[in-house]
Amino acid sequence: MTTLQRQEVNPIGHLTAEDIEAIGRELDAIRDEVIAARGERDAAYIRRVIKVQRSLEMGSRAVLLFSLFPPAWLIGTAGLSVAKILENMEIGHNILHGQYDFMRDPKIHSTTWEWDHVTPANQWKHSHNELHHKYTNVVGKDNDLGYGIMRVDENQRWHPFYLAQPLWNFINALFFEYGIAAYDLELGRNLKTKKRRNNPEFRANVRAVGRKIRRQVLKDYIIHPALSGPSFLHTIAANFTANIVRNLWSHSVIMCGHFPKGVSTFERTSIKGETRGEWYLRQMLGSANISGSRLMHIMTGNLSHQIEHHLFPDLPSSRYAEVAVKVRALFEKYDLPYVTGPLPMQVASAWAKVIRLSLPNRKATPEPDHSRPPRHPAAEPIPA
């Protein structure tokens, strides 16, 4: 397995093939233990979170009916922002991963859930569950790594276009749900040729995204503001602000899981013939966590435990905190780097990397040649 990032020390150079497969068996055992234990506790948790989220959203939208008044606008906007974050991160993302399919509840199931997002759930499940989690941090295969618009590794050829990647990344953060819709559609690839543009499946997916966007716009920018009467424009501003806050938060959390210092990226060739143990190892090296309180973990959809999520994407997210103790012990046992840190530190690290990789690689300083004696100053040519 070859990492693309230039690292002074190969983080897995000390592992044997037997070590890697042993790691796989130990992680399988951790997963099996949680599978055997999941049940009513997990079902009660997700139902409680859904109830809290819906109550918060309804209450916030009710307050925003009076958003003409500044206190109501602030309270309603803050509440709606939190409700949208909860719906996307801890509820929608995790239900669509199939984490609660074991409940056999048709209302809380990966095949029936639709979320507060412009990307249709079925398209997101394909690009995220089937592609991202299969090709985690493989350059050129994982769209979550740089979203297809950024240089993500020193070994990628630099082009002047990348000078603007901090700006692209910021714009993508502001309108993140639309960015996700764009790369779920693989617009860059599918718009290249007439044949791809006319592909029936692609055209059907574009129409589905268009319908979902219209539904979201109708809900947030027409129906709810219209109910506000004199507060119409203030409610539009509140909904727009809540969507921006949700987008910025989601983008930051996801960047922290894939892009901070210490996270490895991988060549396409590194996944050829990949074993179960090697797949696990790639998830371990290609992910980073965020440390913080239980409330912060909930607000990130427990993607603050990104390492554990990449290892076990179909386990209930509320289990990641207890799983993390065992996973971290496994990292220590095999002397592997467990990348984690507070949110501000991880966000700063990820943005520093975005900015650094927008520039050409620094040329290495040549080593002095000691094989020849230094020239005497008198032998230097006199400048004209």
Side-chain angles (χ1 to χ4, degrees):
M1 198 181 303
T2 307
T3 62
L4 281 183
Q5 285 191 329
R6 298 178 177 180
Q7 301 182 24
E8 293 180 3
V9 179
N10 183 351
I12 59 172
H14 60 288
L15 297 179
T16 65
E18 291 74 17
D19 289 333
I20 295 172
E21 296 315 305
I23 289 171
R25 288 191 295 271
E26 292 191 55
L27 288 170
D28 277 338
I30 292 173
R31 182 179 185 278
D32 291 344
E33 185 179 348
V34 176
I35 291 290
R38 69 185 179 182
E40 186 53 37
R41 164 189 158 188
D42 306 286
Y45 172 80
I46 192 60
R47 289 190 175 112
R48 183 166 63 252
V49 174
I50 291 172
K51 183 178 180 180
V52 168
Q53 186 276 331
R54 288 177 175 171
S55 298
L56 181 60
E57 180 174 359
M58 290 177 62
S60 299
R61 289 192 182 278
V63 171
L64 286 172
L65 296 177
F66 310 96
S67 57
L68 186 64
F69 305 100
W73 191 92
L74 288 171
I75 294 171
T77 303
L80 187 58
S81 299
V82 172
K84 283 178 172 287
I85 288 170
L86 277 175
E87 197 285 331
N88 272 192
M89 304 296 281
E90 182 68 327
I91 300 173
H93 172 269
N94 295 327
I95 290 176
L96 293 177
H97 260 297
Q99 294 179 6
Y100 299 97
D101 286 1
F102 74 92
M103 295 164 54
R104 302 187 185 280
D105 183 340
K107 295 180 180 179
I108 308 175
H109 199 277
S110 62
T111 59
T112 58
W113 189 270
E114 191 56 73
W115 57 350
D116 180 34
H117 211 281
V118 299
T119 299
N122 65 321
Q123 290 188 35
W124 180 85
K125 284 189 293 183
H126 169 70
S127 65
H128 187 81
N129 297 0
E130 298 175 25
L131 299 181
H132 164 59
H133 278 271
K134 180 179 179 180
Y135 299 116
T136 304
N137 275 32
V138 176
V139 177
K141 299 287 284 184
D142 181 7
N143 271 345
D144 276 30
L145 186 63
Y147 315 116
I149 58 173
M150 295 196 299
R151 183 173 181 243
V152 296
D153 189 270
E154 288 91 341
N155 283 1
Q156 283 181 273
R157 180 178 295 178
W158 182 84
H159 188 276
F161 169 81
Y162 291 122
L163 288 171
Q165 81 175 23
L167 175 62
W168 305 143
N169 194 44
F170 179 65
I171 294 172
N172 188 39
L174 290 174
F175 303 101
F176 193 43
E177 61 178 321
Y178 292 92
I180 291 174
Y183 76 73
D184 283 352
L185 287 170
E186 297 185 89
L187 286 182
R189 182 176 70 91
N190 286 316
L191 294 178
K192 278 185 177 180
T193 65
K194 184 177 180 180
K195 181 179 180 181
R196 289 186 184 277
R197 289 194 297 272
N198 292 332
N199 181 281
E201 182 180 359
F202 172 64
R203 294 172 71 87
N205 286 339
V206 170
R207 289 193 295 270
V209 171
R211 288 193 296 270
K212 191 68 189 294
I213 290 174
R214 287 194 296 272
R215 190 185 313 166
Q216 294 297 106
V217 169
L218 186 66
K219 171 175 65 72
D220 278 345
Y221 301 119
I222 298 177
I223 294 177
H224 183 220
L227 293 173
S228 302
S231 300
F232 180 81
L233 293 178
H234 295 80
T235 302
I236 287 179
N239 280 276
F240 180 78
T241 301
N243 283 325
I244 293 294
V245 170
R246 183 269 316 278
N247 289 341
L248 287 170
W249 177 260
S250 303
H251 180 271
S252 295
V253 169
I254 292 170
M255 275 197 39
C256 288
H258 301 87
F259 223 53
K261 182 179 180 180
V263 175
S264 297
T265 55
F266 305 87
E267 294 177 350
R268 292 189 185 200
T269 55
S270 70
I271 59 174
K272 291 182 179 179
E274 189 175 57
T275 66
R276 177 71 168 169
E278 289 171 338
W279 180 86
Y280 270 135
L281 192 59
R282 178 158 54 83
Q283 312 310 310
M284 296 164 79
L285 297 177
S287 313
N289 282 4
I290 306 169
S291 58
S293 66
R294 184 169 184 267
L295 178 60
M296 195 277 295
H297 293 316
I298 292 172
M299 291 298 291
T300 67
N302 276 285
L303 291 181
S304 47
H305 298 293
Q306 188 72 255
I307 295 170
E308 288 70 29
H309 174 63
H310 274 159
L311 291 171
F312 311 116
D314 60 345
L315 294 186
S317 62
S318 59
R319 297 275 185 168
Y320 289 152
E322 62 190 67
V323 167
V325 177
K326 299 175 182 178
V327 170
R328 191 159 191 170
L330 194 63
F331 271 76
E332 293 174 359
K333 177 180 177 180
Y334 288 95
D335 193 23
L336 295 170
Y338 190 90
V339 181
T340 187
L343 181 65
M345 183 183 81
Q346 297 295 69
V347 170
S349 176
W351 270 98
K353 190 171 181 181
V354 169
I355 294 168
R356 174 170 57 83
L357 292 176
S358 70
L359 304 172
N361 293 343
R362 296 176 183 175
K363 292 184 178 180
T365 304
E367 293 292 331
D369 186 357
H370 298 292
S371 62
R372 293 180 298 175
R375 297 178 66 178
H376 191 277
E380 293 291 335
I382 298 173

